[in-house]
């Protein structure tokens, strides 16, 4: 058993791939948000919440917020996964949108995920189609990174997952370990 845990929520597999990389390359135990129990916290020194970005929200974040008071003496971080290319400004926007008040100091890291409309639920595919139509009417110079990714990825399959995205998270953990 490791002293590092990744709690993850993944709809289409990209975030789960990152959780597996953490497990295989960096000796993390991994647990799905739905299988996570508060009693697990005591066994770990490092806790990472890995969640996909959906409409700017980080999935699975609630479980971290619900249990945050029991994690005060741990190294806690968030790794979020989206279709946008890595972009400091976009990550700051995700941070401001998701981490307010007592959570605003939580370190947030980002990895690029995947895109495959064939895997999407009917609802998600319809939503993305509608969004694409709206975005297509905008001036491309004014696209947000996620909008740009949506326009260029639509109709194609992509897997941008790469272990290099985990490096800043691992460096943060190593720096903060006692
Ligand atoms: C309905 C919907 C909304 C999405 N919203 C965003 C978004 O706001 N920002 C972003 O970067 N990616 C967004 N994505 C892309 C997903 O975050 C990306 O495909 C990610 O790899 C999904 O992770 P998962 O496979 O672990 O579920 C969205 C995808 C869908 C289907």
């Amino acid at each position: 058993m490791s002293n590092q845990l990744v709690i993850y929520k993944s709809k289409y597999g990209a975030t789960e791939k990152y959780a597996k990389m953490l497990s295989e390359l960096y000796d993390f135990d991994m647990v799905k948000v739905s299988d996570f129990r508060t009693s697990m916290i005591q066994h770990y020194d490092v806790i990472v919440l890995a969640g996909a970005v959906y409409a700017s929200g980080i999935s699975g974040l609630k479980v971290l917020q619900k249990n945050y008071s029991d994690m005060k003496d741990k190294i806690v971080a968030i790794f979020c996964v989206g279709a946008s290319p890595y972009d400091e400004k976009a990550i700051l926007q995700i941070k401001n949108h998701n981490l307010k008040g007592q959570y605003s100091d939580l370190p947030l890291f980002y990895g690029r995920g995947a895109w495959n409309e064939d895997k999407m639920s009917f609802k998600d595919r319809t939503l993305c189609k509608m969004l694409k139509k709206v975005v297509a009417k905008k001036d491309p110079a004014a696209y947000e990174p996620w909008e740009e990714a949506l326009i260029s990825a639509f109709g194609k399959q992509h897997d941008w997952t790469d272990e290099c995205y985990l490096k800043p998270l691992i460096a943060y953990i190593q720096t903060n370990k006692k």
Side-chain angles (χ1 to χ4, degrees):
M1 191 170 160
S2 162
N3 68 347
Q4 311 187 104
L5 178 70
V6 54
I7 310 166
Y8 69 96
K9 185 159 183 181
S10 181
K11 218 167 173 180
Y12 300 116
T15 310
E16 184 169 33
K17 244 175 126 174
Y18 281 109
K20 281 188 179 147
M21 287 180 206
L22 285 172
S23 166
E24 285 161 17
L25 304 173
Y26 299 104
D27 189 33
F28 273 72
D29 287 345
M30 55 190 279
V31 64
K32 279 186 192 161
V33 158
S34 53
D35 295 332
F36 172 79
R37 299 288 172 269
T38 303
S39 59
M40 293 174 180
I41 296 170
Q42 59 183 313
H43 303 296
Y44 297 94
D45 299 327
V46 177
I47 297 180
V48 172
L49 183 276
V53 181
Y54 283 101
S56 302
I58 302 172
S59 55
L61 194 58
K62 271 195 196 131
V63 81
L64 193 70
Q65 293 171 333
K66 213 175 135 201
N67 291 280
Y68 195 46
S69 58
D70 292 319
M71 297 180 183
K72 291 288 179 216
D73 57 336
K74 319 278 178 195
I75 296 174
V76 181
I78 299 168
F79 185 81
C80 66
V81 178
S84 306
Y86 187 94
D87 180 280
E88 298 282 351
K89 204 181 102 211
I91 296 166
L92 193 64
Q93 277 173 2
I94 295 173
K95 188 168 178 140
N96 292 339
H97 183 78
N98 289 276
L99 305 176
K100 299 190 171 107
Q102 61 168 320
Y103 309 111
S104 57
D105 287 338
L106 270 170
L108 179 77
F109 299 90
Y110 180 86
R112 203 172 185 194
W115 186 265
N116 185 351
E117 285 138 45
D118 297 342
K119 270 192 179 178
M120 282 179 200
S121 66
F122 176 73
K123 196 176 150 202
D124 278 351
R125 201 166 41 244
T126 309
L127 204 68
C128 288
K129 258 188 208 161
M130 281 164 52
L131 196 58
K132 187 190 162 242
K133 272 190 192 159
V134 174
V135 174
K137 288 184 187 143
K138 283 178 68 171
D139 173 3
Y143 286 171
E144 296 291 337
W146 151 236
E147 294 173 337
E148 201 174 330
L150 179 71
I151 295 290
S152 63
F154 211 88
K156 300 174 209 122
Q157 291 182 14
H158 296 274
D159 183 352
W160 301 285
T161 55
D162 192 310
E163 60 189 67
C164 72
Y165 288 112
L166 293 172
K167 294 261 155 73
L169 167 69
I170 298 303
Y172 172 80
I173 293 168
Q174 273 159 7
T175 308
N176 285 278
K177 261 188 179 165
K178 285 159 212 152

